[in-house]
PDB file of all heavy atoms in Angstrom:
ATOM      1  N   ILE A 113      38.547   6.752  -5.089  1.00 97.00           N
ATOM      2  CA  ILE A 113      38.807   5.998  -3.854  1.00 97.00           C
ATOM      3  C   ILE A 113      38.428   6.812  -2.630  1.00 97.00           C
ATOM      4  O   ILE A 113      37.858   6.281  -1.657  1.00 97.00           O
ATOM      5  CB  ILE A 113      40.287   5.603  -3.767  1.00 97.00           C
ATOM      6  CG1 ILE A 113      40.701   4.880  -5.011  1.00 97.00           C
ATOM      7  CG2 ILE A 113      40.581   4.747  -2.557  1.00 97.00           C
ATOM      8  CD1 ILE A 113      39.942   3.592  -5.349  1.00 97.00           C
ATOM      9  N   ARG A 114      38.694   8.060  -2.670  1.00 97.00           N
ATOM     10  CA  ARG A 114      38.271   8.937  -1.575  1.00 97.00           C
ATOM     11  C   ARG A 114      36.752   8.934  -1.449  1.00 97.00           C
ATOM     12  O   ARG A 114      36.183   8.759  -0.333  1.00 97.00           O
ATOM     13  CB  ARG A 114      38.665  10.418  -1.774  1.00 97.00           C
ATOM     14  CG  ARG A 114      38.415  11.268  -0.570  1.00 97.00           C
ATOM     15  CD  ARG A 114      37.905  12.721  -0.945  1.00 97.00           C
ATOM     16  NE  ARG A 114      36.699  12.723  -1.839  1.00 97.00           N
ATOM     17  CZ  ARG A 114      35.473  12.707  -1.439  1.00 97.00           C
ATOM     18  NH1 ARG A 114      35.196  12.650  -0.144  1.00 97.00           N
ATOM     19  NH2 ARG A 114      34.498  12.786  -2.355  1.00 97.00           N
ATOM     20  N   ALA A 115      36.070   8.978  -2.547  1.00 96.00           N
ATOM     21  CA  ALA A 115      34.601   8.996  -2.474  1.00 96.00           C
ATOM     22  C   ALA A 115      34.099   7.617  -2.022  1.00 96.00           C
ATOM     23  O   ALA A 115      33.219   7.586  -1.237  1.00 96.00           O
ATOM     24  CB  ALA A 115      34.107   9.213  -3.943  1.00 96.00           C
ATOM     25  N   ALA A 116      34.726   6.598  -2.399  1.00 97.00           N
ATOM     26  CA  ALA A 116      34.358   5.235  -2.006  1.00 97.00           C
ATOM     27  C   ALA A 116      34.571   5.036  -0.533  1.00 97.00           C
ATOM     28  O   ALA A 116      33.778   4.474   0.225  1.00 97.00           O
ATOM     29  CB  ALA A 116      35.132   4.215  -2.766  1.00 97.00           C
ATOM     30  N   MET A 117      35.638   5.559   0.031  1.00 97.00           N
ATOM     31  CA  MET A 117      35.959   5.481   1.429  1.00 97.00           C
ATOM     32  C   MET A 117      34.952   6.315   2.256  1.00 97.00           C
ATOM     33  O   MET A 117      34.444   5.821   3.285  1.00 97.00           O
ATOM     34  CB  MET A 117      37.384   5.902   1.733  1.00 97.00           C
ATOM     35  CG  MET A 117      38.435   4.939   1.267  1.00 97.00           C
ATOM     36  SD  MET A 117      40.057   5.213   1.957  1.00 97.00           S
ATOM     37  CE  MET A 117      40.481   6.775   1.268  1.00 97.00           C
ATOM     38  N   ALA A 118      34.582   7.504   1.787  1.00 95.00           N
ATOM     39  CA  ALA A 118      33.546   8.243   2.450  1.00 95.00           C
ATOM     40  C   ALA A 118      32.183   7.532   2.478  1.00 95.00           C
ATOM     41  O   ALA A 118      31.557   7.492   3.516  1.00 95.00           O
ATOM     42  CB  ALA A 118      33.406   9.623   1.762  1.00 95.00           C
ATOM     43  N   SER A 119      31.950   6.909   1.346  1.00 94.00           N
ATOM     44  CA  SER A 119      30.720   6.085   1.268  1.00 94.00           C
ATOM     45  C   SER A 119      30.660   4.988   2.213  1.00 94.00           C
ATOM     46  O   SER A 119      29.726   4.643   2.948  1.00 94.00           O
ATOM     47  CB  SER A 119      30.442   5.705  -0.158  1.00 94.00           C
ATOM     48  OG  SER A 119      29.312   4.852  -0.224  1.00 94.00           O
ATOM     49  N   LEU A 120      31.757   4.186   2.248  1.00 95.00           N
ATOM     50  CA  LEU A 120      31.903   2.958   3.121  1.00 95.00           C
ATOM     51  C   LEU A 120      31.736   3.390   4.555  1.00 95.00           C
ATOM     52  O   LEU A 120      31.060   2.694   5.329  1.00 95.00           O
ATOM     53  CB  LEU A 120      33.329   2.320   2.888  1.00 95.00           C
ATOM     54  CG  LEU A 120      33.492   1.431   1.671  1.00 95.00           C
ATOM     55  CD1 LEU A 120      34.857   0.793   1.787  1.00 95.00           C
ATOM     56  CD2 LEU A 120      32.358   0.301   1.707  1.00 95.00           C
ATOM     57  N   ILE A 121      32.338   4.477   4.930  1.00 93.00           N
ATOM     58  CA  ILE A 121      32.296   4.943   6.326  1.00 93.00           C
ATOM     59  C   ILE A 121      30.902   5.355   6.747  1.00 93.00           C
ATOM     60  O   ILE A 121      30.503   5.220   7.911  1.00 93.00           O
ATOM     61  CB  ILE A 121      33.370   6.036   6.593  1.00 93.00           C
ATOM     62  CG1 ILE A 121      34.794   5.311   6.538  1.00 93.00           C
ATOM     63  CG2 ILE A 121      33.162   6.750   7.882  1.00 93.00           C
ATOM     64  CD1 ILE A 121      35.952   6.247   6.364  1.00 93.00           C
ATOM     65  N   ASP A 122      30.115   5.864   5.756  1.00 92.00           N
ATOM     66  CA  ASP A 122      28.729   6.164   6.086  1.00 92.00           C
ATOM     67  C   ASP A 122      27.870   4.921   6.206  1.00 92.00           C
ATOM     68  O   ASP A 122      26.794   4.933   6.749  1.00 92.00           O
ATOM     69  CB  ASP A 122      28.128   7.061   4.952  1.00 92.00           C
ATOM     70  CG  ASP A 122      28.390   8.482   5.068  1.00 92.00           C
ATOM     71  OD1 ASP A 122      29.099   8.818   6.114  1.00 92.00           O
ATOM     72  OD2 ASP A 122      28.078   9.302   4.265  1.00 92.00           O
ATOM     73  N   LEU A 123      28.357   3.828   5.612  1.00 92.00           N
ATOM     74  CA  LEU A 123      27.597   2.598   5.704  1.00 92.00           C
ATOM     75  C   LEU A 123      27.990   1.774   6.896  1.00 92.00           C
ATOM     76  O   LEU A 123      27.246   0.769   7.250  1.00 92.00           O
ATOM     77  CB  LEU A 123      27.883   1.749   4.432  1.00 92.00           C
ATOM     78  CG  LEU A 123      27.350   2.264   3.118  1.00 92.00           C
ATOM     79  CD1 LEU A 123      28.008   1.543   1.946  1.00 92.00           C
ATOM     80  CD2 LEU A 123      25.851   2.116   3.054  1.00 92.00           C
ATOM     81  N   GLY A 124      29.029   2.038   7.596  1.00 92.00           N
ATOM     82  CA  GLY A 124      29.377   1.286   8.759  1.00 92.00           C
ATOM     83  C   GLY A 124      30.798   1.678   9.134  1.00 92.00           C
ATOM     84  O   GLY A 124      31.335   2.717   8.725  1.00 92.00           O
TER      85      GLY A 124
END
Side-chain angles (χ1 to χ4, degrees):
Chain A
I113 306 302
R114 186 221 53 90
M117 288 194 294
S119 174
L120 280 183
I121 288 162
D122 279 357
L123 292 166

